[in-house]
Amino acid sequence: MTLRTGHTGLNVTDLDRSLAFYRDVLGFALLAEGKEDGRRYAFLGERDGEGGPVLTLWQQAQESYDGRRAGLHHLAFAAGSADRVREYETALRGAGVEFHHEGVVAHGEGAASGGIFFHDPDGTRLEISAPLGAEQAPAPHASAPTCGFF
């Protein structure tokens, strides 16, 4: 068996702010939370509670995300359809989130897959995409994958 991702842990500077973003804007369910000073965390998963944590937020960071350092490049979430990606785009815009590209873009020239690219409250690069539905969407870069955040 090949390893697959279990859950992703992100260091955040303000757990309350990040929890509101991931829970209230992106729709993750709060599965468990640690509230002890110096040990704050939140386990987030699917609304039905199946499958365990998908994302863990740890209030351990002192500074925002820095994409110039080795480590996490971006975190990608899969939506079931391009229409669902657009629903997330609407919710994110309503929350004042700025996007890396304007609207849904293709993953590459002629690709059917595509999505939206943006940042969380600490600057972590995020993607929500679907495998189909971006056939008519522009590809920001002809020579590199869109998820490169170039």
Side-chain angles (χ1 to χ4, degrees), residues 59-121:
Q59 185 170 302
Q60 297 178 346
Q62 302 300 310
E63 299 175 20
S64 293
Y65 173 81
D66 184 350
R68 298 168 297 163
R69 294 187 178 162
L72 179 71
H73 180 273
H74 75 283
L75 181 56
F77 298 107
S81 69
D83 287 340
R84 189 70 179 117
V85 172
R86 288 182 186 92
E87 290 172 11
Y88 280 109
E89 178 186 8
T90 298
L92 289 160
R93 285 194 190 284
V97 172
E98 293 184 26
F99 290 78
H100 194 70
H101 304 291
E102 187 56 39
V104 174
V105 294
H107 278 131
E109 287 280 322
S113 64
I116 54 176
F117 300 84
F118 55 99
H119 298 86
D120 80 356

Side-chain angles (χ1 to χ4, degrees), residues 125-147:
R125 296 180 287 208
L126 302 175
E127 167 187 356
I128 298 176
S129 64
L132 300 171
E135 294 86 350
Q136 305 304 316
H141 306 285
S143 64
T146 303
C147 59

